[in-house]
Amino acid sequence: MSFNHLLKKSSASTQSLHIRKEVVTTKTTIRTAPLPSTASRSNGLQPPRKQTKHAQDKVHRFPSHTIKKENDASRKRRTPSQGLVNFSSDDSEVEFEKEEEGSRKKLKAELGQDTDLKRQVRNKTAFSEDDEGIFSMVHAADIPSLDKTTKYIPSFEGLPENTEVALQYPSASQRERYLLMQPRTRRSDNNDFNALEDIVHVMHQVIAHYLPGSQRELFDNDTTGYPKRLHRAINRKSEDELKTVIGDWNDALSKLRLEGVIAKILDDYHSVQPDLVERILSQACARTVSLGVKSLREYENGTDNVYGELLPRFVSRILREDTHLKSDQIFVDLGSGVGNVVLQAALEIGCESWGCEMMKNTCDLAEQQQTEFEARCRLWGLAAGGIHLERGDFLSNTVIAQILPKADVVLVNNQAFTPQLNERLTSLFLDLKEGCHIVSLKSFVPAGHKISARNLYSPFNVLEVEQKEYFSECVSWTAAPGTYYVSRKDSRKIKAFAARNE
C-alpha cells in the first residue's frame, strides 16, 4: 500500500518522505455463482463457530477501495480509493466487467506461457475444521473504534449504530466481523475505511477466482447476483434486505466449500493472480501499518534510509517477466521496509521470501503486518511461501549473509542509496550464485565499463546488466515512467577474457 498519503496525514514535515513498496487497490475481476437457499439463512450475524478474540492494539485504519473499479490504463498506486458509498449507477459495473474480462484473458495467456507446476495454491489447513477455524486476526469491526482521527457514522440513513454482520470467506475459517460504518466526510487523502465497500470487493474477488463458470453467473448476474442485490439494499436503505443478502452469500459460499467445489478450483491453480494478491496485501497493511505511519518519520532525506515504494503491478512484472521466479526458489529484498514486496513474492509466487530492514519502527510494523498477512492468507484459503523478516544492516546481518549465496532473485531499491553503499553492495554480489538476478533502480555497473587486465577482478565484471523501462504509476515518488536494471551474475566473461590473454 502506498504510504505517501499517510505521511501527508502525519505532518507537514514528513511529506517529502517516501516509504518502500506498497500494497494497492486491485483490479477485481467479476464472475458469478449459485443462488442461495434461504432455508438456513444466517444473516451474517451467526457464524457457524465461535469467533476468536483479537489484539486490538494491532488494528489500524483500513483504506479500502471505491466500488468503481480501476482499469489497467489508469491504475495508479494510490490509497485504495475510499469514500462514501454510492451504488446509484450500474455504468461502472458494466464498464468494469468489460475491462476486466479482457485483462483476465490476457493475464491467463501470459501465465500459461510459464506455468509453475510445483506451485500449490490451496492452504489445506484453511479447509480443515480440526481447530474449528479459529485463529487470531484483526476484524474489520474493530477499525472504527480504533481510528481516532476519523468520525464514523452508519453506512446509510436509518441504520442503527453498531450494526454488525459477519462475512464468509472461501475457506473453513471464521467469518470476518464488520460494523456497517463509513466516514462522516471523505478525507482528501481517501484514507478511510468503509465496511460495505470492503465487503463488495471481497465478493468480487471470490466470484472472480474461487468459483467455476457454472456458478459465476448465479453469483454475479444483474438480477440475483450478490453485489447487485447488495447495491439495491443500500440504495433502498434496507437493513433487513442487506442482512438477508449477506446471509444468503454466507450460506451459498459455505455450501460450495462443503461440496469441495472451491478446493477443486484452487487445486487447479498454479499461481495467485495479482489483483487477488493486492486485495489481501491491502487488507493486511491497512490493519497494521496505516495507523503506525507516524513512526516512519525516522527516515531522513539525504541518507541511505530514504526510499520509495515499488508498486505491486511493477513488482509483479519483476517477479514474473523479468526474473521468472518460481515457487522452489528464493527471493531476497535488501532494505525491505514494512515488508510489502517480501509478502507479495511469498503469496504471488509461493517462493521462500526474505527481507532485511534496519530501522526499528519499520521492523516493528513489518512484523505486525506479517502476522496479519498470514491470518489473511488462511482466511482466503491460500498458501504462501515461507516469510522471513530480518532486522539489522543487510551488509552485516549474519543470516542474510548465509541466505544470499542461495538466492535466485535479489531486489535492491537503491534509488536513494549513496554511491558508497552501492559500491559495498556490488562487492557483496560476488558471493551470489551463478545466474542469480539482481533488480535495482540504479545500475551497479558504471556506464561504459569494459573489462580489462587492470580491472579483471572487479565485481562489475561478473554482472550482465540489462536496462529496462517501467511505465507511469509504477513507483511512489513519481507518476512518470523511468528506468530500472536487471543484472545477472555471469562469471564466464572473466574466464573468457583471461583465456584470451594468457
Side-chain angles (χ1 to χ4, degrees), residues 12 32 120 175 207 209 250 270 305 378 391 437 482 493:
T32 36
Q120 301 299 312
R175 295 173 181 173
I207 291 168
H209 302 297
N250 292 344
H270 296 287
N305 297 321
R378 179 169 177 180
R391 292 174 178 250
H437 288 91
K493 62 180 181 179

Side-chain angles (χ1 to χ4, degrees), residues 35-36 223-233 241 244-245 248:
L35 197 58
T223 304
T224 59
Y226 296 106
K228 293 289 186 179
R229 290 174 61 196
L230 192 62
H231 289 192
R232 290 194 290 268
E241 186 177 348
T244 296
V245 173
D248 287 348

Side-chain angles (χ1 to χ4, degrees), residues 398-409:
T398 56
V399 175
I400 293 299
Q402 294 172 357
I403 291 299
L404 277 176
K406 305 175 185 178
D408 297 280
V409 176

